[in-house]
Amino acid sequence: MTFASARPASPEDAAPPVEPAFAAQLAAERTRLLYQGSLLPTLFMLINGLVCSWLLWSPRHYVLVSIWLVWLMLLAALRVIQVAAFDSAMPARQSDPRWLRRFLLGAGLSGLTLAAGAIALTPVNSFIQQAWLFGLLGAAALSASIAYAVSLPAFLTFTLPCLLPPVGYLLLWGDEHQRGWGWLGLMLLVSLAIVAWQVNRLIERNLLRRFQNQALIERLQAERIHGEQLNQELAEEVQHRRAVEDTLRETHAELEVRVAERSQALDHANQALSKSEERLALALEASELGLWDWNLQTDEVHHSELKRLFGLDESSVSLMLKDLRPRLHPDDMPLLKKTLTNHLKGRTTDYRVEYRVRHEDGRWLWVEDHGRAVERGPRGRVLRMIGTRADISKRKAWQQQLSLAATVFEAMSEGIVVLDAAFGVLAVNKAFTAITGYSEADAMGFNLIELPCSHDARRQFQAICQALEERGGWQGELVETRKNGELYPQWMQLSVVRDRLDNISHIVGFFSDLSGRRASEERMRFLSHYDELTGLANRVLFRERLQEAALRATQRGRALALLHIDIDRFKLINDSLGHDTADQVLKEMARRISNALPEADTIARLAGDEFAVLFDAYANLSSLARVTSRLLGKLRAPLLINGHELIIGASIGISLLPDNARVATDLVAQANTAMQHAKHLGGDTFQFFTESQRASTLERLQLENQLRKAIDEQQLEVFYQPKLHVASGRLESAEALVRWRHPTRGLVLPGEFIPLAEETGLIGAIGEFVLRQACWQAQQWQRHGLAPVRVSVNLSVHQLRQGKLVSLVRQVLDDTGLAARCLELELTESQLLDSIEHISLTFQQLREIGVKLAIDDFGTGYSSLSYLKRLPVDYVKIDQAFVRGLDEAREDVVITQAIIAMAHSLGLQVVAEGVETQGQLEILKEQGCDEIQGYLISRPLPAHDMAQMLIRDQRGWSVES
């Protein structure tokens, strides 16, 4: 073919090298040309596809032809849509490489579609149809390949899938006739490649030249614009030079005229100068100013008025730094040096400074220097200064007084207003603004009486003016108005200032706001009679009203009832939930009491969680009981405070006058006694006062005092009740029990004083005494040759709450020398309800020491099994309530057997207390009880008797063994 024999391109025809600046433009332009040139080949390919489908349409091939044609039309439609989207995109988006990749994908699919048609649809035996079909498909490939030649990748993406599959198929699997078509297709592919290469080279060269020409044109236009700007600036510069030359000529002429005029003026000035020097000397003498002339090169100074300012003769001062500088005050040296330096460096036009100098007689004077540099050297250095110096000591003293007065004026807590003779406002201080709300700008220039804040003063204006004129002052209380409209009480004091002619020149007003004082007085009056938290009457007001009510009841023969109310377990609320929540509880309780008892004469808060209600008259006891029951129901209603739901009860004591008491003081004491009795009954109830309550209260008080004395005087003793180890038959342990050796009542059992000790907090001292005494006694028995005995000491929940039990046990063991394994601590099961988590931690620490632990009265609590699981105990003591009925009740036998089996399964030992009969002992032996304790073995014994019993037991054990 002709393209195959074409001559190679000459060097001049070769495409110029692609500059980096044009690479992006070239790629974008290629993409644009591909899209713009793809519509016609796409249309031509679609037409040829239609013609080929028409030629091949037959019943045998209509399905395959239809599918092929539909797919060809779909590709053509997608190409049209793609071209439309490319044209509507911005230039910046058109340069995106994704557009080229989409085009190449479409071109490849189009080529494969044509190749599939040539392979699958060409008839085998019809030469005419083969010629038409191959001709049309080749023409479509030729048109598309030439259009895609602008980009060799696009050309190859379309041409190779379009021609290589048919050519390969015809050459490899066709007959002799079809291989001829294959060789023809191969020549067509080679020819198209050469043509595409030539077209691509020509297009690329043309595009590069076009880009270069465009860049050159833009550069020439920029150079032309720059040249025009330079020509315009040159013309303006020439015109400006000409204008300057004209101005210089005019200035020179004017200067000559001025020099002549100046020479004439100098003559007149010299004459005036001599006269001015005379006037200056007179002015300086009259103004008491000293003139100084300082030569900075030689430090020489010429000074007048030296005698008056410094007390020195002029002949004694010749140098500034040598003669005058030593007289300067040291504190003023930095300021003077800084001011002088700033002026010498040209930073200030004048040199002005105030400082102190020492007079010849030793006193310090304030002087003021005012001068300036009058002569400078070639480099701007100051050579000479001239100025004046004045004594300003009096002015300084006056300024200090004015400053002090201004400070006092502004710092006064009282409002101050200075008026003229017509009551016009001249000055106000900050307190005036703070009290009235009117600023200085609001008040200045106005008449005081015309201000809205002076309503009451305006009403009394005539009396005020008369008092000022006659007595020179006025004072009194006014009710005035602030700027915001608020009324407030004011104490005003006005004084007049008179001039030399005894006329009123100024009026000075002092006023203060009485609101704070009045509020404080009201607050004090309220707090003196009412409780700040609840708003109820306090103890003072309650006593006054009680005395008045008692007096009325006595005079009129009426009855009087007093209710003393105490909130149950309020201390627990205060300790656990905090004071804020406790205060809210008290406020709510006070509100409920007030709402529940509207008929009460007085409701008061006496102190803490105690309230009192006074009924000046009541119908009968039954009505009073109903009212009190209703009050208890209101108080115990659920209460939600700070997220906590509380149900709070109260204990109420009721005393009556004249049934129980004759005077008010007895009524209060009796109500308190009845309240205490209600609290001892468990709380949340009320009790009327009876004489038996008084006796019980007195007895408890006496017993408490005697118990305190017993602790101090060591009247307490420790008894020991032995425990029998069932398996060995030995006495291996004993329980320490406290007894009170009362001087008059004899031996007092713990049931009579331990509850009182728990209530009063004395149990801590008693518990420590028993612990020390028991450990000491056990160690003493060992020192006397007895075998080690384990002593059991009962714990109080009070000792656990204190949080010092572990350290106390360590200290006692160290002090007595007793081994920790010889000490057993018992805690009653019912006491475990207090704080199981805290008790568990304490027991764990005690067990780490080596101390044995036991739960006493097991089976009487509420969560026995959970305690055995959570507490690290060693022994379980069966309560004597179950042991006592072993001989009689089958249920007690079953219960004790279950407790023993359960404890053994948990690895615990069991102690049965209260064993009094041999039958009980036999049953416990059969059930596997480890230790027994009770009167069958021995009653509690003093330490000496217990030692004798241990000796007998150990000797008998030794003989038996």
Side-chain angles (χ1 to χ4, degrees):
M1 297 187 60
T2 56
F3 291 106
S5 60
R7 65 180 178 85
S10 61
E12 357 355 281
D13 294 335
V18 180
E19 299 179 9
F22 301 140
Q25 296 182 11
L26 182 60
E29 187 65 17
R30 282 175 178 171
T31 305
R32 188 182 64 80
L33 291 175
L34 280 175
Y35 274 93
Q36 291 180 352
S38 64
L39 288 177
L40 184 58
T42 302
L43 180 62
F44 187 68
M45 181 179 67
L46 182 60
I47 293 173
N48 288 346
L50 292 172
V51 174
C52 291
S53 301
W54 176 72
L55 291 173
L56 298 173
W57 191 263
S58 66
R60 291 186 305 170
H61 300 102
Y62 73 88
V63 175
L64 188 60
V65 172
S66 299
I67 294 173
W68 179 78
L69 180 60
V70 170
W71 174 249
L72 191 64
M73 294 176 68
L74 179 61
L75 290 176
L78 290 176
R79 178 51 53 86
V80 172
I81 294 173
Q82 193 178 28
V83 172
F86 179 82
D87 291 339
S88 62
M90 296 184 297
R93 293 185 57 191
Q94 289 178 355
S95 60
D96 193 341
R98 288 181 290 184
W99 290 101
L100 180 59
R101 290 196 293 270
R102 295 171 187 169
F103 187 88
L104 295 178
L105 178 62
L109 293 175
S110 299
L112 288 174
T113 302
L114 293 177
I119 294 173
L121 302 178
T122 303
V124 179
N125 299 321
S126 177
F127 176 79
I128 299 299
Q129 288 184 340
Q130 290 179 359
W132 274 102
L133 186 61
F134 285 142
L136 290 173
L137 294 178
L142 177 62
S143 63
S145 300
I146 294 174
Y148 296 162
V150 67
S151 173
L152 289 179
F155 168 76
L156 295 175
T157 303
F158 175 79
T159 305
L160 293 179
C162 180
L163 295 179
L164 278 181
V167 170
Y169 174 78
L170 293 174
L171 291 176
L172 295 176
W173 293 285
D175 54 15
E176 182 179 357
H177 178 69
Q178 290 176 338
R179 282 196 295 272
W181 289 113
W183 286 109
L184 182 61
L186 183 61
M187 288 187 288
L188 177 62
L189 175 61
V190 174
S191 301
L192 288 178
I194 295 173
V195 170
W197 176 69
Q198 288 288 345
V199 173
N200 179 268
R201 186 173 59 83
L202 292 175
I203 290 175
E204 182 176 346
R205 183 180 62 186
N206 291 335
L207 289 176
L208 290 175
R209 287 179 178 176
R210 189 178 72 179
F211 294 156
Q212 292 172 351
N213 292 336
Q214 288 178 353
L216 182 59
I217 291 171
E218 292 176 356
R219 189 179 300 110
L220 290 175
Q221 289 178 350
E223 292 294 337
R224 181 179 60 79
I225 295 173
H226 182 65
E228 291 177 355
Q229 292 178 350
L230 291 177
N231 292 334
Q232 185 178 358
E233 292 176 358
L234 182 60
E236 292 176 355
E237 182 67 22
V238 171
Q239 185 178 1
H240 178 68
R241 286 178 178 272
R242 291 176 180 174
V244 170
E245 291 176 356
D246 295 339
T247 302
L248 288 175
R249 283 193 294 271
E250 294 176 359
T251 303
H252 182 69
E254 293 178 358
L255 184 59
E256 290 180 349
V257 175
R258 289 183 179 179
V259 168
E261 294 176 351
R262 187 62 176 170
S263 299
Q264 184 178 3
L266 285 175
D267 294 337
H268 294 293
N270 290 332
Q271 297 176 3
L273 182 59
S274 59
K275 295 181 180 179
S276 297
E277 289 178 352
E278 295 178 1
R279 289 195 295 270
L280 178 59
L282 294 175
L284 290 174
E285 183 177 356
S287 62
E288 297 184 350
L289 292 176
L291 183 65
W292 51 268
D293 186 353
W294 182 21
N295 188 333
L296 275 72
Q297 289 181 305
T298 62
D299 195 36
E300 294 181 357
V301 63
H302 300 282
H303 201 302
S304 64
E305 302 293 337
L306 274 176
K307 187 68 175 177
R308 181 174 54 82
L309 291 177
F310 295 96
L312 302 174
D313 295 331
E314 295 184 7
S315 58
S316 61
V317 177
S318 59
L319 301 177
M320 174 70 79
L321 299 179
K322 178 183 178 181
D323 299 330
L324 293 181
R325 182 175 179 179
R327 295 182 174 274
L328 300 179
H329 198 286
D331 294 343
D332 297 334
M333 285 294 294
L335 175 62
L336 193 147
K337 185 182 296 183
K338 180 180 179 182
T339 306
L340 180 60
T341 301
N342 289 337
H343 182 68
L344 294 178
K345 291 183 177 181
R347 298 172 185 167
T348 57
T349 56
D350 292 334
Y351 166 69
R352 189 180 191 122
V353 64
E354 297 176 357
Y355 57 94
R356 286 165 290 183
V357 297
R358 189 179 71 253
H359 195 270
E360 183 66 18
D361 59 9
R363 57 192 173 94
W364 292 97
L365 302 179
W366 276 97
V367 297
E368 180 185 35
D369 276 4
H370 190 190
R372 69 175 52 183
V374 296
E375 184 178 349
R376 294 181 181 269
R379 297 183 179 180
R381 182 179 180 184
V382 177
L383 304 178
R384 183 183 178 192
M385 289 184 64
I386 295 179
T388 60
R389 181 173 290 130
D391 183 359
I392 60 171
S393 300
K394 294 181 180 180
R395 188 179 74 190
K396 275 290 185 180
W398 177 247
Q399 288 177 350
Q400 291 179 356
Q401 293 180 1
L402 288 179
S403 176
L404 179 61
T407 302
V408 174
F409 181 78
E410 291 296 338
M412 287 284 289
S413 60
E414 295 181 336
I416 302 177
V417 56
V418 180
L419 312 172
D420 57 19
F423 287 86
V425 179
L426 300 179
V428 297
N429 66 346
K430 294 180 180 179
F432 176 91
T433 302
I435 295 175
T436 65
Y438 290 91
S439 64
E440 184 178 3
D442 296 335
M444 292 296 292
F446 290 91
N447 193 287
L448 179 65
I449 306 302
E450 296 175 355
L451 290 176
C453 64
S454 304
H455 176 76
D456 202 5
R458 191 180 308 114
R459 184 175 55 83
Q460 303 185 39
F461 182 67
Q462 294 298 331
I464 293 173
C465 291
Q466 183 177 357
L468 293 176
E469 187 66 33
E470 295 176 356
R471 299 189 298 273
W474 178 89
Q475 61 181 358
E477 184 174 344
L478 304 173
V479 179
E480 299 295 7
T481 309
R482 306 188 202 274
K483 188 175 181 179
N484 58 8
E486 177 188 356
L487 295 176
Y488 70 100
Q490 177 192 99
W491 180 262
M492 172 66 79
Q493 181 178 355
L494 298 174
S495 301
V496 301
V497 179
R498 299 183 182 273
D499 57 15
R500 290 180 297 177
L501 300 178
D502 202 28
N503 295 322
I504 297 177
S505 61
H506 297 86
I507 302 172
V508 181
F510 300 87
F511 66 93
S512 57
D513 185 0
L514 300 180
S515 301
R517 185 186 303 174
R518 293 290 173 80
S520 298
E521 293 173 355
E522 292 295 330
R523 181 70 173 168
M524 291 301 296
R525 280 195 292 269
F526 176 82
L527 293 179
S528 62
H529 291 89
Y530 293 92
D531 177 56
E532 183 178 11
L533 178 64
T534 62
L536 300 177
N538 61 8
R539 183 184 294 271
V540 176
L541 182 58
F542 169 74
R543 287 178 176 175
E544 293 178 359
R545 292 185 177 179
L546 178 62
Q547 293 292 343
E548 295 172 358
L551 181 61
R552 289 195 302 269
T554 302
Q555 293 175 350
R556 300 175 185 176
R558 299 171 57 183
L560 183 66
L562 174 62
L563 275 64
H564 192 132
I565 305 171
D566 185 84
I567 307 300
D568 293 336
R569 297 174 62 83
F570 180 76
K571 186 178 184 302
L572 178 61
I573 297 176
N574 201 8
D575 295 340
S576 58
L577 301 182
H579 297 298
D580 294 338
T581 302
D583 289 345
Q584 294 296 323
V585 170
L586 290 176
K587 292 168 65 175
E588 179 62 21
M589 291 296 105
R591 187 188 66 82
R592 292 184 179 185
I593 294 173
S594 300
N595 294 339
L597 303 177
E599 67 275 19
D601 178 64
T602 299
I603 301 176
R605 180 190 176 198
L606 300 181
D609 59 337
E610 297 183 13
F611 298 87
V613 180
L614 185 64
F615 288 97
D616 198 359
Y618 62 93
N620 48 52
L621 292 180
S622 60
S623 64
L624 189 59
R626 287 195 300 271
V627 168
T628 308
S629 299
R630 182 183 63 193
L631 173 61
L632 287 174
K634 295 287 186 180
L635 294 180
R636 75 169 68 96
L639 174 64
L640 183 63
I641 294 181
N642 296 335
H644 302 283
E645 184 176 10
L646 306 175
I647 300 178
I648 302 172
S651 300
I652 303 177
I654 306 174
S655 179
L656 308 175
L657 186 150
D659 296 348
N660 302 128
R662 296 293 180 180
V663 295
T665 54
D666 292 343
L667 189 68
V668 174
Q670 293 170 358
N672 181 66
T673 300
M675 181 272 294
Q676 294 292 340
H677 186 65
K679 188 171 289 291
H680 290 155
L681 294 177
D684 195 24
T685 185
F686 67 92
Q687 288 290 308
F688 285 92
F689 173 79
T690 61
E691 288 298 330
S692 61
Q693 294 174 1
R694 183 200 302 271
S696 176
T697 302
L698 291 176
E699 183 179 355
R700 287 178 59 84
L701 181 60
Q702 293 175 358
L703 186 62
E704 178 184 349
N705 294 332
Q706 293 173 2
L707 182 58
R708 293 181 185 275
K709 185 177 181 181
I711 296 174
D712 295 338
E713 298 181 356
Q714 299 181 355
Q715 296 177 8
L716 300 179
E717 297 181 11
V718 178
F719 280 48
Y720 301 90
Q721 186 173 27
K723 300 178 186 178
L724 177 67
H725 190 269
V726 177
S728 63
R730 293 181 54 198
L731 301 179
E732 297 182 353
S733 62
E735 182 178 1
L737 301 172
V738 66
R739 297 292 187 265
W740 180 6
R741 186 73 65 178
H742 196 278
T744 58
R745 299 173 56 184
L747 196 64
V748 180
L749 296 179
E752 298 185 37
F753 63 89
I754 289 299
L756 179 62
E758 291 276 2
E759 181 181 344
T760 58
L762 297 176
I763 191 66
I766 296 175
E768 182 177 353
F769 165 76
V770 175
L771 177 63
R772 287 186 176 275
Q773 186 65 26
C775 292
W776 177 84
Q777 187 61 62
Q779 183 64 17
Q780 287 294 110
W781 289 334
Q782 294 183 31
R783 289 175 181 174
H784 287 84
L786 294 177
V789 176
R790 187 180 76 253
V791 289
S792 301
V793 179
N794 289 284
L795 292 178
S796 168
V797 70
H798 178 78
Q799 294 173 282
L800 292 171
R801 289 174 183 170
Q802 286 183 335
K804 301 178 181 179
L805 180 61
V806 178
S807 59
L808 175 62
V809 170
R810 283 198 181 100
Q811 181 182 354
V812 170
L813 292 176
D814 292 341
D815 293 344
T816 59
L818 182 67
R821 67 178 183 276
C822 295
L823 175 62
E824 177 184 332
L825 299 178
E826 298 181 8
L827 186 66
T828 304
E829 183 184 5
S830 59
Q831 294 177 327
L832 298 176
L833 293 173
D834 188 71
S835 177
I836 185 63
E837 291 81 7
H838 175 65
I839 294 174
S840 177
L841 179 60
T842 304
F843 273 28
Q844 186 65 40
Q845 295 174 348
L846 291 171
R847 193 169 191 182
E848 292 175 358
I849 298 174
V851 176
K852 302 298 181 181
L853 302 170
I855 296 180
D856 195 8
D857 297 340
F858 186 79
T860 61
Y862 301 94
S863 304
S864 303
L865 296 179
S866 64
Y867 294 152
L868 292 179
K869 176 182 176 181
R870 299 173 64 180
L871 295 177
V873 297
D874 303 285
Y875 295 91
V876 171
K877 297 187 69 174
I878 302 176
D879 187 72
Q880 59 183 350
F882 302 111
V883 176
R884 189 178 300 115
L886 288 178
D887 295 337
E888 303 171 358
R890 174 64 181 171
E891 294 80 1
D892 291 337
V893 175
V894 175
I895 292 175
T896 55
Q897 185 176 5
I899 293 175
I900 293 172
M902 177 183 60
H904 285 171
S905 63
L906 294 175
L908 306 178
Q909 297 188 39
V910 181
V911 180
E913 58 181 355
V915 179
E916 299 179 354
T917 66
Q918 189 67 30
Q920 296 170 354
L921 175 59
E922 295 301 328
I923 295 174
L924 291 172
K925 280 185 178 182
E926 293 177 0
Q927 294 177 348
C929 183
D930 299 288
E931 294 182 358
I932 62 172
Q933 173 185 355
Y935 285 179
L936 179 62
I937 308 302
S938 174
R939 292 177 176 272
L941 303 173
H944 180 267
D945 296 342
M946 181 65 192
Q948 296 299 323
M949 187 173 184
L950 290 174
I951 292 172
R952 290 193 301 269
D953 177 75
Q954 292 181 14
R955 287 178 179 176
W957 173 79
S958 300
V959 172
E960 181 181 354
S961 61

